Amino acid sequence: MKSNQLHGSLDDVLITAELARRPQREPDYKAESRALTALAQALASRPEQVLQKLAELAMELCRADSAGISVLEPDGEDGTLWVIHHDREGHFDAEDARLLASLSRFASAAYQMVSAFQLAKAGHQQLERKVEERTHALRDSEQRYRTLFTRMDQGFCIIEKIQTADGEPSDFRYLAVNPLSSGTPDCATPVGKTIRQLVPDAEPSIMERYDRVVQSGEPERFEDYVTALDLWMEAEVFSAETPGQMLSCSATSQSGSALKSRYVKTRSARASS
């Protein structure tokens, strides 16, 4: 550092106490009111810019060449609103001190509001990121589920028991069905329809098994023949946590001699025993 460079301390430029002894110009309350109104508007519409606006207005009201706000870190609770003249011809007086005191009170409230705004904004952005991440993860999970659901080599469906009139047989509505589950090729999508809407002559033995699973909560595995569809069916049925639903109803369906032959042998063995 050069020996002729100027050195100084903060006390060399602070003249707050001196201002009270200087002649005071007439207050311009209208200009002060306009400045406070402009600050309030900035705080309402652009809170992140209010401190910059405050420094600009302090420079304008005090006819200074520079102005700024210094905040003591790290807590930010203490700070200074300051103005500077760059030449010796410029002089501040007690009116400037009064204006700075008025603006400083606004600065304190504005700083706290801006800090709260920035904290809330950061929290909101963090929440948005978490929501976006979870939404993306949920979409990925749903896509994996749908891929597995549609490509599995067994039929799979979710059904729920519906209320029927007294004396009417039980019926169940399809909630979800994969391509291999429906044995009704004429129906593009059974979802929303009931078993008896699709197969009016549904096998009573199969419907009774569904009823037992719903009522007891115990799973059942069975093989049976669906006369209306000319279809042999092997199925496992499980109850769901939601009352009245079979959340997981998996089945493999075959038409042809393999399952029929096994079914006939099973019946014969039972009859002979």
Side-chain angles (χ1 to χ4, degrees):
M1 182 178 293
K2 295 181 179 180
S3 58
N4 61 351
Q5 186 171 349
L6 293 177
H7 296 273
S9 66
L10 186 61
D11 292 335
D12 295 329
V13 295
L14 286 179
I15 58 170
T16 305
E18 172 67 19
L19 296 181
R21 296 190 289 270
R22 293 181 179 181
Q24 181 177 352
R25 70 181 187 276
E26 289 294 323
D28 188 347
Y29 293 115
K30 289 184 178 180
E32 181 182 358
S33 177
R34 288 194 298 270
L36 293 176
T37 300
L39 284 173
Q41 291 174 343
L43 186 61
S45 60
R46 298 181 301 277
E48 70 281 357
Q49 299 179 15
V50 69
L51 296 182
Q52 176 63 35
K53 185 67 174 178
L54 181 62
E56 294 171 358
L57 289 172
M59 186 168 61
E60 177 183 335
L61 290 174
C62 296
R63 296 168 297 181
D65 297 310
S66 298
I69 299 171
S70 300
V71 178
L72 181 63
E73 300 291 351
D75 53 23
E77 293 181 356
D78 299 317
T80 302
L81 173 63
W82 50 265
V83 290
I84 297 176
H85 276 305
H86 292 180
D87 58 73
R88 296 181 179 274
E89 300 300 323
H91 295 282
F92 296 114
D93 59 24
E95 173 60 13
D96 294 310
R98 188 192 68 80
L99 287 169
L100 290 177
S102 175
L103 292 176
S104 294
R105 288 191 292 271
F106 192 98
S108 176
Y111 182 81
Q112 293 180 43
M113 293 187 67
V114 169
S115 298
F117 171 79
Q118 292 174 340
L119 183 62
K121 184 177 181 180
H124 181 70
Q125 291 174 339
Q126 183 179 15
L127 179 60
E128 284 185 332
R129 286 194 297 270
K130 288 183 177 180
V131 170
E132 184 177 356
E133 291 171 0
R134 292 181 180 179
T135 300
H136 184 71
L138 181 61
R139 287 174 179 169
D140 286 347
S141 177
E142 182 179 358
Q143 183 59 43
R144 288 193 296 269
Y145 163 76
R146 292 193 176 278
T147 299
L148 176 63
F149 185 73
T150 56
R151 294 184 180 180
M152 59 191 303
D153 59 2
Q154 288 184 315
F156 184 89
C157 67
I158 301 172
I159 60 178
E160 67 175 351
K161 183 178 176 64
I162 64 172
Q163 289 187 343
T164 54
D166 292 341
E168 293 292 326
S170 298
D171 203 357
F172 295 82
R173 179 184 291 109
Y174 286 100
L175 301 180
V177 180
N178 78 341
L180 293 180
S181 181
S182 175
T184 56
D186 294 336
C187 180
T189 172
V191 174
K193 296 181 173 62
T194 70
I195 292 177
R196 294 192 183 277
Q197 285 177 327
L198 300 173
V199 187
D201 298 326
E203 296 297 320
S205 58
I206 296 178
M207 304 301 276
E208 289 171 2
R209 290 187 175 95
Y210 288 170
D211 269 326
R212 284 199 301 270
V213 171
V214 168
Q215 292 171 7
S216 68
E218 297 296 326
E220 287 201 20
R221 180 174 182 172
F222 62 90
E223 298 173 358
D224 213 331
Y225 177 69
V226 183
T227 305
L229 301 178
D230 188 23
L231 184 71
W232 288 91
M233 184 172 71
E234 180 180 13
E236 290 183 89
V237 186
F238 306 86
S239 66
E241 293 182 2
T242 304
Q245 289 188 4
M246 284 178 283
L247 183 60
S248 178
C249 175
S250 62
T252 54
S253 300
Q254 298 177 353
S255 58
S257 59
L259 187 57
K260 180 178 179 180
S261 174
R262 185 169 55 177
Y263 179 73
V264 170
K265 290 179 180 178
T266 302
R267 293 192 62 184
S268 298
R270 290 175 180 173
S272 61
S273 61

